[in-house]
């Protein structure tokens, strides 16, 4: 991207490397991943809200709608306004809230284990083959932000700091993931779920703080992940309308 300013996205890289077929293949996988990660955010929102309000449900015209579905749709509506921000430099301020939420989340879960009496007596197998698919999917989800690297690079004011930003970001993210994994395993052992917050007893104030803080993260990150898809669609729309006219 430094040698050729016209390269803005991974599909552009695929095109310059392998031509039109390269663009199509890279676009398919890159945008599919970018679509699945925000979808995971909505599922995370629905799971945690349902944890807090397990009796929520809705009946419309004789059709029963479960609590998780209601919360997923509601979370999508709440997150929607963040997609209207076109400048990623503005989104960076929104995403800063995600960093703060991670610190609060880890502190709250540590408080649940140390102060509120849940303890760290969880036990389980060190390795379980059946859990590999879940583990791989969680790793992919946690490090799914690489697809937005070209977009982030293009939006940076000082592009020379890009490598340093990546190093610090991935270092802090990895540290937080390791801490959360250790805490979850020591507290709940074999029974730990894909989201540690789903194991927390909701009667505790610290648990509620952890769950509510978890809900803030996707709101801060959703638009940052989904923006490349929106930009790709917007770039195609004028061409489509011009051809149709």
């Amino acid at each position: 991207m430094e040698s050729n300013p016209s390269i803005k996205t991974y599909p552009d890289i695929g095109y310059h490397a392998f031509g039109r077929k390269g663009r199509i293949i890279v676009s398919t996988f890159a945008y599919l991943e970018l679509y699945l990660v925000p979808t995971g955010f909505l599922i995370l929102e629905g799971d945690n809200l349902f944890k807090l309000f397990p009796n929520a449900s809705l009946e419309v015209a004789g059709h029963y709608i479960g609590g998780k579905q209601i919360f997923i749709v509601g979370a999508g509506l709440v997150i929607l306004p963040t997609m209207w921000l076109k400048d990623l430099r503005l989104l960076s301020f929104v995403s800063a809230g995600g960093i703060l939420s991670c610190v609060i989340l880890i502190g709250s879960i540590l408080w649940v284990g140390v102060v509120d009496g849940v303890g760290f007596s969880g036990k389980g197998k060190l390795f379980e083959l059946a859990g590999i698919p879940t583990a791989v999917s969680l790793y992919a989800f946690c490090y799914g932000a690489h697809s937005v690297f070209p977009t982030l690079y293009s939006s940076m004011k000082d592009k020379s700091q890009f490598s340093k930003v990546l190093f610090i970001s991935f270092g802090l993210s990895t540290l937080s993931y390791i801490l959360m994994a250790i805490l979850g395993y020591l507290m709940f052992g074999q029974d730990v779920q894909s989201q540690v917050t789903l194991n927390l007893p909701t009667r505790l104030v610290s648990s509620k703080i952890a769950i509510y803080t978890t809900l803030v993260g996707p709101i801060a990150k959703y638009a940052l992940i989904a923006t490349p898809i929106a930009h790709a669609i917007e770039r195609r729309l004028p061409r489509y309308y011009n051809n149709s006219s």
Side-chain angles (χ1 to χ4, degrees), residues 51-91:
K51 172 76 174 179
L52 291 172
F53 309 102
N55 297 321
S57 62
L58 183 66
E59 187 173 346
V60 179
H63 297 282
Y64 173 81
I65 303 176
K68 286 187 180 181
Q69 289 77 13
I70 295 173
F71 292 135
I72 289 174
V73 173
L77 294 175
V78 171
I79 292 172
L80 179 61
T82 64
M83 290 297 300
W84 299 337
L85 297 174
K86 298 295 184 181
D87 192 345
L88 287 184
R89 284 172 292 187
L90 296 176
L91 289 177

Side-chain angles (χ1 to χ4, degrees), residues 23-36:
R23 179 188 291 277
I24 293 174
I25 294 174
V26 173
S27 297
T28 300
F29 285 98
Y31 293 139
L32 178 61
E33 180 181 14
L34 286 172
Y35 173 78
L36 292 176

